[in-house]
């Protein structure tokens, strides 16, 4: 069965430092997509970054980058130069062709706290 | 840029009542999804529509139904509400790679 694992329930980082949030996935499909979302305490789900399984380069979006290691089935999110506003819950998710390439399967999330 | 719109943002209902949640996807997006997020949980997929046809179905209770209309907005209808239905309900839309979520409807069942 397809599964997303986030092993860090909580992470702490100081402002301006970089932080890596771990995500591993399990799928037998060759075609899939990996997502990261940010959920602040207000509740909305904010799309951060996407990586396709056939993308040759790691995805980057501003301060966010995705460290995609296909052989290890990992898709870690790297946030550079952390800001106080980065404090939130972060979810890794996967979409794959076995499910009609539509629905997302989420991990349990990592709560990030950025301190001054 | 236009985002996914959901209404209402908050809803309080009694047990056994019905609720209707509305979603307006990003213009030109062809797929709409509904997710349920219980307290302290990750979002769980309920149902999706592609070009107004149901395209995928998750762990959606039989008491729930959904449809997508000709103007592409979607509604999630929930009947015989139970305490366990209290959750944050998200609508998301996509066209291609990204999947963009609305702000959610927080449903509280008393």
């Amino acid at each position: 069965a397809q599964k997303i694992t986030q092993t860090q329930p909580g992470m702490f980082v100081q402002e301006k430092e970089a932080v890596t949030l771990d995500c591993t996935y399990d799928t037998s499909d060759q075609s899939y997509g990996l997502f990261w979302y940010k959920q602040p305490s207000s509740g909305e789900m904010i799309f951060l970054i996407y990586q396709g399984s056939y993308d040759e380069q790691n995805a980057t979006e501003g301060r966010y980058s995705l460290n995609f290691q296909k052989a290890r089935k990992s898709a870690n999110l790297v946030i550079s130069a952390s800001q106080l506003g980065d404090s939130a819950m972060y979810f890794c998710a996967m979409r794959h062709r076995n499910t009609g390439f539509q629905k997302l399967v989420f991990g349990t999330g990592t709560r990030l706290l950025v301190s001054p | 840029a236009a985002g996914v719109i959901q209404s209402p943002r908050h809803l309080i209902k009694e047990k056994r009542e019905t609720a209707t949640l509305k979603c307006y996807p990003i213009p030109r997006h062809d797929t709409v999804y509904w997710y349920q997020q219980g307290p302290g949980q990750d979002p769980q997929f309920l149902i999706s529509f592609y070009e107004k046809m149901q395209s995928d179905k998750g762990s959606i209770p039989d008491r729930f139904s959904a449809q997508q209309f000709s103007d592409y907005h979607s509604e999630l209808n929930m009947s015989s509400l139970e305490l366990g239905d209290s959750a944050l309900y998200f609508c998301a839309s996509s066209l291609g790679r990204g999947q963009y979520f609305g702000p959610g409807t927080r449903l509280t069942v008393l």
Side-chain angles (χ1 to χ4, degrees), chain B residues 7-72:
Chain B
S7 67
R9 294 292 307 275
H10 300 272
L11 191 58
I12 299 175
K13 290 285 185 179
E14 300 275 344
K15 275 185 355 181
R16 291 181 288 278
E17 287 191 324
T18 61
T20 296
L21 279 53
K22 296 186 178 182
C23 168
Y24 297 84
I26 294 171
R28 293 182 295 281
H29 278 197
D30 57 12
T31 308
V32 167
Y33 315 77
W34 286 96
Y35 292 86
Q36 177 192 57
Q37 186 180 27
Q41 304 293 315
D42 53 284
Q44 296 292 315
F45 171 74
L46 292 177
I47 195 166
S48 63
F49 295 88
Y50 172 72
E51 287 290 343
K52 294 164 278 185
M53 299 287 289
Q54 182 183 309
S55 53
D56 200 359
K57 198 170 180 181
S59 49
I60 183 170
D62 291 341
R63 300 177 287 109
F64 294 7
S65 65
Q67 57 182 324
Q68 188 176 27
F69 295 86
S70 58
D71 64 351
Y72 289 89

Side-chain angles (χ1 to χ4, degrees), chain A residues 37 39 43 55 99 102 104 107, chain B residues 35 37 42 55-56 97 99:
Chain A
Y37 288 88
Q39 187 173 40
D55 292 344
T99 65
Q102 295 210 26
L104 296 181
Chain B
Y35 292 86
Q37 186 180 27
D42 53 284
S55 53
D56 200 359
R97 291 154 65 105
Q99 191 168 132

Side-chain angles (χ1 to χ4, degrees), chain A residues 25 27-34 50-59 68-70 95-97 101, chain B residues 97:
Chain A
Y25 58 91
T27 181
S28 56
D29 201 14
Q30 297 301 309
S31 179
Y32 51 89
L34 296 155
Y50 171 86
Q51 179 84 42
S53 58
Y54 292 121
D55 292 344
E56 293 187 353
Q57 298 210 340
N58 286 346
F68 181 47
Q69 298 189 39
K70 196 169 182 178
R95 181 181 67 191
H96 49 90
R97 195 169 294 282
F101 217 65
Chain B
R97 291 154 65 105

Side-chain angles (χ1 to χ4, degrees), chain A residues 1-5 24-29 73 94 96:
Chain A
Q2 289 73 23
K3 190 178 178 182
I4 292 281
T5 302
T24 58
Y25 58 91
D26 185 19
T27 181
S28 56
D29 201 14
K73 293 189 175 178
M94 178 171 63
H96 49 90

